[in-house]
Amino acid sequence: MMQAGQKRRVLIVNAYFDPWRSASPTRLFVPRAMAPYYLAGYFDPDLVEVKVWDEVFHGALLNRRLLEWPDMVVFTGLTAAFDRARQLAAYCRHFTPQVVSVIGGPIARALPALCDQVFDYTCQGDVEEIGAVIEAVFSADHVADRTAPRFDLTAPTMGVGYLETTRNCNFACSFCSLSGEGRAYSAHSEASIDGQLGAMGKAFGVMVLDNNFYGNNRSSFEWRVGKIGERWRQGQFRGWGALVTGDFFKRPENLKLMADNGCKALFSGVENLDPAVLRTFNKKQSLASDPLSLTQACAEHGMFFDYGVIIDFAQQTVAEVDDQVSGILSDPRIPLPGLLSLTIPIAGTPYFDEAARAGRLMPNVLLSDLDGQKLVEWPQEPLEKVTPFLRDLLKFRGRKMALSRHAFRHAWHWRKHLGWEQTVLSAVRPLHRFGGNFGLGSPRQMRQSFREPALTYSVMTDTLRAAYRPLHRLPSQFAKDFEPLRVTDETGALSDQFLEARSGASSLTA
């Protein structure tokens, strides 16, 4: 029973299963998940106390007091984290039966029918939809008059501020969840961008969170660059970075415009060094995205270049991937990729549907297996050859000396074109990314990590992670909340459970 004048209590959780099976925080990963902080901005701070827990940044949520605390718990996260969100909702319901559970983001859009069954409210739209939930559960008075993100809740920030100027993407890469959702690319209003910049305050650097900062509207792009550049010239931050698609680099004047307005880093999804693979991804905008030429073009304008690489053993051999990685390590001019992942058949994407039709999915794939760090599709070569190679590649085992040597040689090579911060970043980033995670967290988190079964890098041999065993004694009615969602059955066909989970679509189901 709430007392008069008592604030409502809302917990917002970014649910996450660490692919390396660590329960400890990943503090240095950039960018951080910002959806919880944007959601928090919709609650009136005078009437609602909001707490945020990001299982990437803060580590696994194992604190019973926090799970007992809220009147409302709001979940977001990537699609593969559905099981984790369901587990946390079960804990909250057990400790506080009257708690209201809400889910949104990619999970809700990919699995609407199942989310309707598990959670009290399912939001398939953008963060603004939480306003209707607040009004329905509490009252209209509990919705904030001004909905600026609650960046004050992000501490510690390590000097990095975050900004979103557009939503979605104007391309349709077959493996991207945005392609499956099919939502239109759009730019934020000037009031929204100004509100975010105001809430951010002074920062060392700013990371623009857009899926595609460049977009398909030239005037909008130039205006947004100028808007950020104005704040940079005023001294709000020392520089900023953004993600752009490959077509951005086809106009050299784009680089000059960004550099003149304080941009210090660009990330672009090179994705794969084989044009044939890129075509199967419908990644035509990256066919000319050679990492060396893009690195050089950025460096000449004083910008650090970063990129991601996706490996597809259904189309590539071990020898081909090994040659590509060795080629990068042998050339200090080319940066190591900031992201190295297997192709992920994300539920709802064209790539997933094609993989399912072609029979490429392995038997007994769980939704939580789709994290890009284990084999879930049949490779073209035997598993006993591919799996150990993948295990070593993702952690650069046997290449640690080459990794360290390349990182420092790369930073030294481009030092005259970059500032000291960028030079340090170019040396440290690959060491942090591939050198291994020390797994420092709370005693409870480290104990949870110790309980984890070893990762085998193949869905054919992997066992359930420790989170599927409840930490607390729960009544039998919650047993189903700790059962994994199976994508494929023992034959490799899509499971009935998964097909039912994908069916139906409704918004704001109470």
Side-chain angles (χ1 to χ4, degrees), residues 159-311:
V160 180
Y162 294 94
L163 173 69
E164 183 182 80
T165 73
T166 66
R167 286 178 178 166
N168 307 314
C169 185
N170 54 296
F171 287 101
C173 303
S174 65
F175 57 78
C176 182
S177 61
L178 296 175
S179 300
E181 294 171 4
R183 297 185 298 160
Y185 180 74
S186 62
H188 281 267
S189 67
E190 182 173 7
S192 172
I193 295 174
D194 283 338
Q196 293 178 63
L197 289 166
M200 181 193 308
K202 197 172 181 64
F204 181 79
V206 170
M207 178 68 189
V208 180
L209 297 168
D210 301 18
N211 296 289
N212 180 8
F213 180 75
Y214 185 47
N216 55 3
N217 185 316
R218 183 73 190 179
S219 61
S220 171
F221 164 69
E222 292 177 347
W223 179 84
R224 287 180 284 110
V225 172
K227 167 65 71 172
I228 301 173
E230 180 183 351
R231 294 296 187 112
W232 168 68
R233 280 182 283 274
Q234 292 172 0
Q236 184 174 350
F237 40 83
R238 296 185 59 170
W240 56 284
L243 186 154
V244 295
T245 44
D247 57 323
F248 166 89
F249 296 97
K250 295 178 180 178
R251 299 183 64 164
E253 64 268 26
N254 289 339
L255 286 164
K256 184 178 187 305
L257 176 66
M258 298 274 277
D260 289 346
N261 282 277
C263 183
K264 304 297 182 183
L266 287 176
F267 181 97
S268 189
V270 172
E271 312 301 20
N272 198 283
L273 304 181
D274 186 339
V277 176
L278 290 174
R279 289 188 179 93
T280 66
F281 292 163
N282 195 31
K283 194 78 179 180
K284 298 174 183 178
Q285 69 272 22
S286 294
L287 289 174
S289 295
D290 167 54
L292 176 56
S293 61
L294 298 187
T295 300
Q296 184 169 348
C298 287
E300 290 172 352
H301 288 84
M303 289 187 284
F304 169 80
F305 178 69
D306 198 5
Y307 65 105
V309 167
I310 296 175
I311 302 165

Side-chain angles (χ1 to χ4, degrees), residues 287-482:
L287 289 174
S289 295
D290 167 54
L292 176 56
S293 61
L294 298 187
T295 300
Q296 184 169 348
C298 287
E300 290 172 352
H301 288 84
M303 289 187 284
F304 169 80
F305 178 69
D306 198 5
Y307 65 105
V309 167
I310 296 175
I311 302 165
D312 191 341
F313 286 112
Q315 303 183 72
Q316 297 174 281
T317 66
V318 164
E320 289 169 344
V321 174
D322 186 62
D323 287 346
Q324 290 178 357
V325 174
S326 297
I328 294 173
L329 287 170
S330 66
D331 190 340
R333 299 172 299 170
I334 307 174
L336 283 162
L339 172 68
L340 185 62
S341 168
L342 291 174
T343 312
I344 307 174
I346 301 173
T349 63
Y351 183 91
F352 177 92
D353 293 336
E354 197 277 327
R357 284 194 301 268
R360 293 202 308 267
L361 298 178
M362 291 178 172
N364 299 314
V365 173
L366 308 182
L367 186 67
S368 58
D369 289 326
L370 304 181
D371 56 20
Q373 304 298 305
K374 67 169 69 71
L375 291 168
V376 297
E377 295 182 79
W378 291 111
Q380 61 176 273
E381 296 180 293
L383 285 173
E384 55 267 24
K385 180 179 182 180
V386 177
T387 303
F389 175 79
L390 174 65
R391 176 200 62 207
D392 294 342
L393 175 63
L394 293 176
K395 288 293 189 180
F396 273 65
R397 291 174 181 167
R399 303 180 194 255
K400 295 293 188 185
M401 288 300 298
L403 170 70
S404 301
R405 184 166 56 249
H406 180 278
F408 288 108
R409 288 175 66 195
H410 175 74
W412 182 260
H413 180 84
W414 295 111
R415 71 193 186 284
K416 294 181 180 179
H417 294 79
L418 306 176
W420 70 265
E421 305 100 325
Q422 297 159 299
T423 300
V424 171
L425 177 64
S426 63
V428 172
R429 180 192 56 81
L431 298 178
H432 171 259
R433 172 63 182 83
F434 301 111
N437 184 1
F438 293 107
L440 295 178
S442 69
R444 185 175 294 156
Q445 288 172 333
M446 290 190 287
R447 186 166 58 250
Q448 175 84 346
S449 298
F450 182 76
R451 296 172 61 205
E452 290 284 2
L455 178 66
T456 68
Y457 299 89
S458 171
V459 72
M460 297 294 290
T461 53
D462 240 3
T463 54
L464 280 179
R465 61 180 74 224
Y468 287 97
R469 299 191 299 273
L471 291 174
H472 308 281
R473 189 181 300 275
L474 302 177
S476 59
Q477 69 199 59
F478 293 105
K480 63 182 182 300
D481 295 311
F482 291 83

Side-chain angles (χ1 to χ4, degrees), residues 15-27:
Y16 178 69
F17 272 138
D18 183 82
W20 307 111
R21 301 200 166 184
S22 170
S24 298
T26 307
R27 300 279 188 186

